[in-house]
Amino acid sequence: MNLSDLRAHWDYFLALDEDLRILRRYIAFHEDNLETFSLELHRIIQMAALEVEAVLLSGHRGPLPRLLSFGS
């Protein structure tokens, strides 16, 4: 992974961070709200997880370690 690829991923994480800041206006980040569900919250969590996966897999060559070998 080169520096421009890394920068693109970082910029995407910053956009997700901004989405969370906006969401915080509607759902307080508090223990009482741990069971709160919203499609927007689901989208942000899913996109963050996909971005982490992309970063981990983009720099990896060869067989995946068992920890990252989902479904094995």
Side-chain angles (χ1 to χ4, degrees):
M1 175 184 302
N2 62 37
L3 190 56
S4 68
D5 290 340
L6 190 57
R7 180 66 188 188
H9 289 292
W10 183 249
D11 288 342
Y12 195 75
F13 275 118
L14 292 178
L16 289 172
D17 181 64
E18 182 60 27
D19 289 346
L20 279 174
R21 290 173 194 272
I22 293 168
L23 183 67
R24 193 169 65 181
R25 290 190 234 167
Y26 305 99
I27 302 172
F29 296 160
H30 188 272
E31 193 173 300
D32 293 344
N33 293 331
L34 287 177
E35 294 186 26
T36 299
F37 176 81
S38 79
L39 290 176
E40 184 65 8
L41 186 56
H42 174 81
R43 181 192 68 82
I44 292 169
I45 293 169
Q46 187 175 24
M47 296 309 293
L50 288 170
E51 200 62 20
V52 167
E53 180 183 31
V55 169
L56 288 174
L57 295 178
S58 67
H60 184 74
R61 303 286 187 264
L64 291 177
R66 184 178 177 123
L67 178 65
L68 295 177
S69 228
F70 304 110
S72 302

